[in-house]
Amino acid sequence: MKNPYEVLGVARTASAEEIKKAYRKLARRYHPDRNPDDPAAEERFKEVQAAYDLLSDPEKRRAYDAFGTAGPGAAGPRGVRFEEFDLGDLGDLFGSFFGGAGARRGATARRPSRGSDLETRVRISFEDSLRGVQVRIPVEAETACAVCGGTGAEPGTAPVVCPQCQGRGVVSESQGLFAFSTPCPRCRGNGTIVEKPCTRCRGTGRERTTKRYSVRIPAGARTGTRIRLKGKGEAGRHGGPPGDLHVVVEVEPSPLYERRGSDLVLDVPVTFAEAALGATVEIPTPDGPVALKIPAGTESGKLLRVRGRGAPHVKGNGRGDLLARIRVTVPKKLTKAEREALEGYRKVSREDPRRRFAEVS
């Protein structure tokens, strides 16, 4: 057997979830029902199935890692190369040697397995993200065939026990004292065969359908917020539970506000006179305009806080604040009266903003 990690394209440190995702991706690509006229695809599918059977079983994986730590083709005691054998079925190997206990185990593929999780994205406006919104999203998922109910058999018929492996899903080959097991080539490890395949799903028992779900986006959601819909993912196999659907929120940028957690930052332009003398100006907020008091001598870039006018907290009560960032504007064109006024101010001004340059030098 080839190195199972290389077959699935994962690292030796891969988690069980990473191994499962890699297996599902490859199994869908090389499944014989999708490649009916490609013998190479069927052979590749068998390799993927055998590799997953090994790595999905913690005991088998530990045994393989213990014997194969030297890498592909490493020689063991007496020059035996471990990867020449199907280490994915060590239970059957030792079971056959000590009386066949492992050989009586059912095929891994027949065990109930949880359906895959799905992920989809939904884009909402900035305004909707602040007040919350109900949206309907289309999701394409693999479900049990509506005609055969997931059996893969034509209605009125049912799968039968595979005559080659007697329902075990594996076949054994004797080599001296040992027996090595591989997935049954006739039933592909299922333990059953479909004599009359369903015409709709061609015997797979699965079909891809598009469903629409209503999702409530909570007030205060931001880009990256994830909402889990339990049981709305792909259907499980052999009676296993369905996976979950994860909805990832994307919020359109606002022309006015910048998001900082639950706080909103708003640039507020003011004139030089308003910043120097102080003023009260009207500014917009998500809940309507409010009056903002600008203290005399306010510099450009200063943040003035308006409490409770930011975005709602996604978890918990309350809201963030609105941070008004002052931007002192400089007029590009002056009237004669404005120029005369500024010239007069310059003559009487006592301020030297560059005084520290002289002190340092």
Side-chain angles (χ1 to χ4, degrees):
M1 176 183 176
K2 295 182 179 179
N3 186 321
Y5 294 101
E6 293 180 357
V7 171
L8 296 182
V10 297
R12 283 182 173 268
T13 56
S15 65
E17 186 63 29
E18 290 172 333
I19 290 173
K20 184 185 296 183
K21 287 182 179 179
Y23 162 69
R24 287 173 174 165
K25 180 180 179 180
L26 293 174
R28 283 195 293 266
R29 180 189 304 174
Y30 296 109
H31 197 285
D33 291 328
R34 291 192 174 185
N35 306 273
D37 301 321
D38 189 354
E42 182 173 355
E43 189 63 30
R44 180 75 167 124
F45 176 79
K46 292 178 182 178
E47 293 178 352
V48 170
Q49 180 69 53
Y52 180 67
D53 286 346
L54 190 161
L55 297 182
S56 62
D57 187 313
E59 294 183 4
K60 293 180 183 179
R61 184 179 180 183
R62 281 195 295 269
Y64 178 82
D65 290 341
F67 288 115
T69 52
R78 301 182 183 178
V80 177
R81 293 184 180 276
F82 289 106
E83 288 193 351
E84 293 175 0
F85 301 100
D86 184 0
L87 295 179
D89 225 314
L90 285 175
D92 284 284
L93 186 154
F94 292 110
S96 299
F97 183 67
F98 294 107
R104 291 193 294 268
R105 299 189 319 169
T108 301
R110 297 174 60 195
R111 298 172 185 167
S113 60
R114 182 178 179 274
S116 300
D117 287 349
L118 297 176
E119 181 177 294
T120 187
R121 294 181 175 271
V122 60
R123 191 173 180 85
I124 62 175
S125 68
F126 186 84
E127 292 72 23
D128 284 342
S129 74
L130 297 182
R131 57 177 175 257
V133 65
Q134 192 89 11
V135 297
R136 286 184 63 81
I137 54 174
V139 178
E140 186 181 273
E142 193 175 70
T143 61
C145 175
V147 174
C148 66
T151 66
E154 190 69 17
T157 66
V160 297
V161 175
C162 176
Q164 184 168 344
C165 66
Q166 302 300 317
R168 291 175 54 244
V170 294
V171 291
S172 299
E173 179 183 353
S174 178
Q175 294 186 11
L177 294 175
F178 298 97
F180 299 92
S181 298
T182 59
C184 175
R186 183 165 183 180
C187 66
R188 304 188 185 98
N190 290 315
T192 59
I193 58 175
V194 177
E195 295 179 329
K196 293 184 178 181
C198 171
T199 55
R200 178 161 179 169
C201 66
R202 299 175 59 190
T204 64
R206 318 278 284 186
E207 63 177 341
R208 299 200 71 81
T209 59
T210 299
K211 294 186 176 181
R212 293 185 177 274
Y213 296 107
S214 181
V215 183
R216 178 67 186 175
I217 309 298
R222 56 188 306 182
T223 294
T225 297
R226 300 176 67 90
I227 302 167
R228 181 170 72 108
L229 301 183
K230 189 174 182 181
K232 302 301 184 183
E234 291 191 344
R237 292 183 178 272
H238 308 293
D244 299 333
L245 172 63
H246 298 269
V247 180
V248 183
V249 178
E250 292 183 354
V251 180
E252 296 176 352
S254 168
L256 288 179
Y257 305 105
E258 173 191 330
R259 189 83 180 258
R260 288 188 185 177
S262 294
D263 292 339
L264 300 179
V265 180
L266 172 70
D267 282 334
V268 180
V270 298
T271 65
F272 172 78
E274 289 172 330
L277 301 176
T280 298
V281 299
E282 188 177 86
I283 62 172
T285 76
D287 301 317
V290 297
L292 174 69
K293 184 177 180 180
I294 300 174
T298 297
E299 296 181 343
S300 188
K302 183 176 180 60
L303 293 176
L304 302 178
R305 187 178 300 271
V306 182
R307 297 194 178 276
R309 295 286 182 157
H313 298 301
V314 177
K315 296 181 180 180
N317 299 322
R319 304 180 62 161
D321 299 332
L322 177 68
L323 304 178
R325 183 165 52 199
I326 302 302
R327 298 295 190 194
V328 178
T329 63
V330 178
K332 294 181 174 57
K333 293 183 179 181
L334 298 174
T335 65
K336 182 179 180 181
E338 289 171 339
R339 178 175 294 277
E340 290 176 351
L342 287 175
E343 290 289 352
Y345 169 76
R346 183 166 60 180
K347 291 179 181 179
V348 300
S349 176
R350 298 175 290 107
E351 183 181 12
D352 183 3
R354 294 173 295 281
R355 180 183 304 167
R356 68 184 186 92
F357 292 166
E359 295 173 353
V360 171
S361 60

